[in-house]
Amino acid sequence: MGKRVDYINWDEYFMGIAVLSGKRSKDPSTQVGACIVNDEKKIVGVGYNGFPAGCSDEEFPWEREGEFLKTKYPFVMHAEQNAILNSIKRLKNCSIYVGLFPCHECAKAIIQSGIREVVYLSDKYSGTDSNTASKMMFDASGVRYRQLHPKKEKIEISLNIEDI
Ligand SMILES: O=c1[nH]c(=O)n([C@H]2C[C@H](O)[C@@H](COP(=O)(O)O)O2)cc1CO
Ligand SMILES: [Zn+2]
């Protein structure tokens, strides 16, 4: 019998884990997940966007607009930063898989952590100052970035016991 042929490749696997991690996010508008992988293709950290520990999802606001302190923006931790802080090993030469191209704050944390490659799906904030600043810093510090164009657009998983 030959090997299975419709298995997912490494990029799809790691991006799949990033996107699955984003499913934990309580943000009603944008759910972002991130997965950090070392040069032995081992996962060393995952994260998603959410409020810091102790800051209740019920009490802190998820609004996008209005008075700054009544929006999510001063409070929400980005997926990339959570993945970096959650990581179990040093991140030198790692890659980070993330659903959304990193903002300038995450870009700084990515560079300083030693991560050398960013793989992303969406670049929906391309052209904004934050996005341009990220690209300027990645270019200057030699962090590569590439958009993933997966052959498989959907990876289905079932938690039904009959499917295992
Ligand atoms: O790099 C990022 N990583 C990340 O986790 N986020 C999170 C923060 C917010 O919860 C949400 C962005 O919200 P919005 O698209 O509604 O402005 O995504 C946002 C960015 C910005 O690119
Ligand atoms: Zn960010």
Side-chain angles (χ1 to χ4, degrees):
M1 197 192 286
K3 68 172 183 181
R4 267 182 76 225
V5 288
D6 65 339
Y7 57 90
I8 54 175
N9 65 28
W10 286 117
D11 277 345
E12 290 161 345
Y13 175 48
F14 297 131
M15 190 58 86
I17 287 176
V19 172
L20 184 65
S21 304
K23 302 278 180 215
R24 285 276 311 146
S25 174
K26 321 293 185 313
D27 189 326
S29 44
T30 309
Q31 302 84 42
V32 187
C35 173
I36 304 177
V37 181
N38 72 11
D39 50 11
E40 295 175 358
K41 303 237 178 287
K42 292 179 180 157
I43 294 171
V44 293
V46 287
Y48 56 88
N49 56 326
F51 296 136
C55 302
S56 161
D57 291 301
E58 316 301 329
E59 285 160 32
F60 282 74
W62 280 113
E63 301 307 315
R64 303 182 78 222
E65 279 161 13
E67 208 182 302
F68 189 52
L69 288 178
K70 296 205 168 119
T71 71
K72 63 186 168 182
Y73 295 109
F75 307 112
V76 73
M77 273 292 285
H78 288 193
E80 300 92 317
Q81 301 203 26
N82 269 332
I84 289 169
L85 292 171
N86 289 341
S87 59
I88 48 166
K89 295 225 169 96
R90 58 201 283 270
L91 301 183
K92 200 160 182 280
N93 295 329
C94 283
S95 297
I96 186 164
Y97 286 76
V98 60
L100 187 58
F101 190 86
C103 74
H104 66 291
E105 292 295 344
C106 290
K108 290 184 269 188
I110 288 169
I111 294 165
Q112 291 302 84
S113 73
I115 290 173
R116 299 299 289 165
E117 184 188 40
V118 176
V119 188
Y120 62 95
L121 281 177
S122 163
D123 195 10
K124 70 174 177 174
Y125 294 120
S126 177
T128 62
D129 285 350
S130 170
N131 185 281
T132 304
S134 297
K135 287 172 183 160
M136 286 167 67
M137 291 187 283
F138 286 152
D139 291 342
S141 55
V143 172
R144 299 179 306 276
Y145 45 93
R146 64 183 167 93
Q147 187 165 32
L148 190 63
H149 301 284
K151 271 193 247 106
K152 283 179 189 289
E153 271 196 1
K154 278 193 194 296
I155 301 170
E156 257 184 54
I157 55 171
S158 166
L159 301 184
N160 186 324
I161 197 166
E162 306 294 336
D163 293 327
I164 307 297

